[in-house]
Amino acid sequence: MPRHSKRLSWLAVPFLLGAPASLAATHELDISAPATTIPITRVKVMLESSTPIPNGATLTFATPTGDKDVTVGGGPTPLGDPLTGDQVVITGGGTNAILIDYKRRDLLLLVGDLCSIKPPQDGSGKIRFTPDATNFNNLTGYRTTSFAAPSLSQCECSSRRVKGLTLWTQPPPGVDRGRIPMDVALVLDRSGSMLSTTPGDPANVEKWLALQSAAEQFIHFWEVEGLDPLSQTGGTGLGKDRLALVYFESDSEPTQFNGKLFVERAPALMDGGHPWEQAVSHVNANVTAGTTAMGGGIRDALTAWQADMVNDLTLVVMTDGMQNVNPMVKDGTGGDTGFKVLEVAPGAAERLTRHCVPMLTVAVASGAVPYADLMNAISQQTAGQSHLTTSSGTTTAFAQQLVTALKGNTLSTLLQSSTTLPSGTNTASRSVDVDGTVQSLYVNLGWFTTSPRGQPVTLKVTAPDGSNPKPVAVKTGRSHVLNRYDFPKAGPVGKWQLTVNRIPGTASPAIPYQLGAYVQEKSLDFQLSLDRLRHSAGQPLNVVAQVSFDGKPLENLNNGELTVLVETPNGALGTLMHETRGEGRGEQSPDPVSPYQGKLDTLMKDPEFLKKMGTTVGKDELVLKETAPGIYKLEFKDTQTPGTYRFHFQLLMKGPSGEPLRRTEIVETQVDVLPSGSKTDVQVTRVDTGSYVLVLTPRDALGNYVGPGFEDRVVVQINGKGRQAPATTPKLDGTYEVRLSGIAEGTEIIVLVNGTPVAKGPVTKLEPVEPRPPDNGTGRDGGTGGGDGGSGPPVPPPGEGCPCKHTRPSGSTGVLGLVALGFLASRRRKHHDGD
């Protein structure tokens, strides 16, 4: 038995992870859920065996009304009431790894509302099962992943991975091997604009070169994260991890290898023969071309996965510009107002949330431009996370998205740095604290080059005792080197030194590089979130941290502290664009430049304007306060300026032997302009019979202008006959013109900007509409709750149930890699397990 499976927690009741079990022994998973958290409603358990487990093998589950047998390969089995009771399905028969998919329904007040708990329950409970004595004699290990709804505004899917609230009190035989396999699809922009640099980027790196480096490092990091160092493979379970690569330019380009879009990890040898190296080579050899068909890229990744569902899916979507090819992600109308929609199936625009797939987004830009707002909205609504970065920060953003994708499994960050080795300087060093809870340490050094032999710097890792331990795995690519160290074999806890050295004999100019350190958690789970789907200027940002240790909420942080530095925008880009005169010439190049982008590009040549587009990190550390066991909150009220807000977190407490335990993380969001009807004067001019021109300059109650660049976000809903031409901004100052035709004088219309109504009524007698005040009621997640306050998607009322479409894939009901799962029923060819 590995040594790490024998270590005892110093904060929880000790138990042995890999303790042997007798034949027909009962195994029990304890689920902890205080009233301040959204309950865990789905649990997946993988049992790994040295011999195949056949279809027909039986596991007996304990239920309130007696034991219930569930057979491998037997399909979904209710453990109680078929509609409102718990449900189990077991797949993988005939292989060496079966997957138990357990959906907790009995605790719910409403089956369609995964945030509702039936009184007097609090969401806690147990899952207890007994394998038959014939077919489970050779179990070698197990994997566990649990899921909950992302927030009180998203209660339709069990889409958030949660590690910290489950604890095996009677574990299966063998070793706890961590997470369940997952699918990740990289949806990458290779449009013509990717050949340019980002204005103000300190390294002045081409966006395409930065993306090549980021994709290579992301894939290699995931290769090494899932590696079993003893066999140099992904193991029986993680060999089922799958990676897909989808580009988009003038069209979407799903890229298959050996006839498959989703490529399995196994056999995952570290000698250059890894199956995912095909994707690395393809990205590094590719070139830019065409326009920006982002919606098509998302569509093709989703449809390909729906046709081949094996694991839960996570998308990582990157772009450097506004989409300009249909199908595009748009604002919903009617019942979908406030949601982002996309035509995944031709002619049927539907909410992105209905796929229950988290979308992690990366926008490459110099500031909070309109497409950064769009990417932020996509991630917020799908329980993902968004990062806005310049070119040189792309690799760091991608690494953080992998950490996000694996949260609840869990990876955490010790260090993320994107900096420069100055000219004439040959070495630079940083230190990180490695504590006794760490299972593995990953250290990555990255650089920018187009040559396989272009490595300008080397990495040296020194343990606290002065030794230079040999890593259990090393991955070297064109743009980086990554080392993995497993503990306790690697060395003692304490300060580990990470040294970057210039290669002797190379030229001495400044060298941009990225240095990151990440850890595989054994006991700690540290998850951060913001409370709403949409954040608008003037409304407080409520940050919620959930911290647990060995499956139990961590109270008082073991006498530690959770602090944050807040990075805020220097100016409001929409207002700057409104007040600054300048021409914007569009260019009909292979990737057309819009007049808005032309004006912005011109203005960004002015360093003062570029500075106003930027952000500043505050000097004062703010402390999150514990509001319930393991729940820590901060309300940040200084949000009058729209733009990018980043929260730089640091968790500092004591490890098992009193050594420092330190983690860092960044959470960011785009704070937008919530248009106010009384501040947005809408002028209507009759041009001819049935033809009208609407002119409006949207701004909020604080005086912030939406600004230009949101033409596709100005929508008129017509209650009857009539047509709307696309909105235009002739002066590029945020004053929009909208032409309506074929509309009768008394026809009712609603004018929306960024999904928010600003005026409604008969076309000739429009009245202003004010956004609804935010609902700041506290909720079970420790944050603020449910209403959109005019600044987020509407929430279905209780009893309305999940709007998701349902379908069962053959052989599996899985969906997602960090989030996504669906409901109970089955409708059309979409997956949603209703958890």
Side-chain angles (χ1 to χ4, degrees), residues 52 125 174 182 204 217 219 222-223 225 298 337 369 374 461 489 505 522 530 552 574 579 613 619 685 728 748 795:
M182 59 189 286
N204 199 36
Q217 293 180 38
I219 294 170
W222 197 26
E223 285 181 11
E225 178 271 338
I298 294 173
T337 298
V369 292
L374 171 65
V461 178
K489 183 179 179 180
K522 183 176 58 178
L530 293 166
K552 299 296 181 183
E579 296 176 344
M613 282 184 63
K619 297 180 180 179
T685 302
T728 61
E748 297 274 340
V795 180

Side-chain angles (χ1 to χ4, degrees), residues 295-586:
I298 294 173
R299 173 202 62 197
D300 288 351
L302 289 173
T303 54
W305 172 75
Q306 288 162 359
D308 183 26
M309 287 191 240
V310 175
N311 304 316
D312 303 327
L313 174 66
T314 296
L315 298 187
V316 179
V317 186
M318 176 273 169
T319 189
D320 80 320
M322 204 65 191
Q323 54 185 350
N324 49 26
V325 178
N326 284 322
M328 293 191 283
V329 179
K330 298 180 178 180
D331 287 325
T333 58
D336 292 330
T337 298
F339 288 92
K340 296 300 179 187
V341 299
L342 176 67
E343 286 189 13
V344 175
E350 57 188 355
R351 300 178 192 177
L352 289 175
T353 58
R354 285 180 171 165
H355 299 276
C356 300
V357 171
M359 300 182 191
L360 312 179
T361 61
V362 177
V364 178
S366 298
V369 292
Y371 64 84
D373 177 78
L374 171 65
M375 298 293 274
N376 184 73
I378 289 171
S379 65
Q380 292 285 347
Q381 292 187 20
T382 59
Q385 191 173 107
S386 182
H387 288 283
L388 171 63
T389 181
T390 59
S391 306
S392 61
T394 306
T395 53
T396 302
F398 266 66
Q400 187 57 50
Q401 293 297 39
L402 181 60
V403 172
T404 301
L406 295 173
K407 273 291 180 185
N409 293 299
T410 295
L411 280 179
S412 293
T413 305
L414 298 185
L415 170 69
Q416 274 192 328
S417 174
S418 183
T419 186
T420 298
L421 189 65
S423 176
T425 301
N426 293 323
T427 186
S429 187
R430 296 288 298 271
S431 64
V432 293
D433 291 312
V434 177
D435 59 85
T437 71
V438 169
Q439 184 168 305
S440 298
L441 170 67
Y442 306 87
V443 182
N444 184 69
L445 172 63
W447 54 85
F448 298 109
T449 181
T450 58
S451 170
R453 297 182 180 86
Q455 180 175 346
V457 286
T458 60
L459 172 66
K460 181 180 180 181
V461 178
T462 306
D465 59 6
S467 64
N468 302 114
K470 181 180 179 181
V472 297
V474 178
K475 194 70 183 179
T476 302
R478 188 177 79 176
S479 65
H480 78 117
V481 60
L482 171 66
N483 293 351
R484 169 175 162 173
Y485 302 89
D486 288 352
F487 291 86
K489 183 179 179 180
V493 301
K495 285 196 179 296
W496 284 60
Q497 204 73 16
L498 316 178
T499 304
V500 178
N501 292 305
R502 187 188 298 268
I503 290 182
T506 59
S508 60
I511 300 174
Y513 69 92
Q514 311 89 46
L515 184 62
Y518 311 89
V519 293
Q520 186 81 38
E521 300 284 13
K522 183 176 58 178
S523 301
L524 177 69
D525 188 39
F526 168 45
Q527 299 198 42
L528 301 163
S529 62
L530 293 166
D531 67 327
R532 290 194 193 93
L533 302 185
R534 179 178 176 184
H535 307 101
S536 299
Q539 297 179 0
L541 291 171
N542 293 283
V543 185
V544 182
Q546 182 170 302
V547 187
S548 58
F549 198 94
D550 278 347
K552 299 296 181 183
L554 184 55
E555 299 185 51
N556 195 34
L557 293 176
N558 196 32
N559 294 318
E561 193 172 50
L562 180 57
T563 61
V564 62
L565 291 173
V566 185
E567 185 177 350
T568 58
N570 297 334
L573 180 59
T575 301
L576 290 171
M577 293 288 282
H578 174 79
E579 296 176 344
T580 308
R581 299 293 176 242
E583 293 186 0
R585 295 182 179 180

Side-chain angles (χ1 to χ4, degrees), residues 27-31 42-48 53 59 61 88-92 97-103 127-129 131 136 139 141-147 166 168 170-173 176 178-181 312:
H27 312 303
E28 183 176 273
L29 181 69
D30 184 70
I31 299 172
R42 188 177 196 184
V43 177
K44 289 187 174 184
V45 177
M46 177 173 279
L47 300 180
E48 298 183 5
I53 299 173
L59 288 88
F61 286 80
V88 181
V89 62
I90 307 175
T91 57
I98 63 163
L99 182 65
I100 303 167
D101 189 349
Y102 192 108
K103 300 174 184 178
I127 296 176
R128 186 182 296 112
F129 62 89
F136 295 88
L139 295 181
Y142 56 95
R143 303 178 184 274
T144 315
T145 301
S146 54
F147 301 86
T166 57
W168 282 102
Q170 297 178 51
D176 183 349
R179 67 174 178 85
I180 297 291
D312 303 327

Side-chain angles (χ1 to χ4, degrees), residues 104-127:
R104 302 179 73 211
R105 300 283 199 282
D106 190 59
L107 62 82
L108 298 177
L109 182 63
L110 298 169
V111 173
D113 182 356
L114 304 181
C115 300
S116 65
I117 300 177
K118 186 188 305 178
Q121 299 190 52
D122 63 359
S124 62
K126 299 180 185 298
I127 296 176

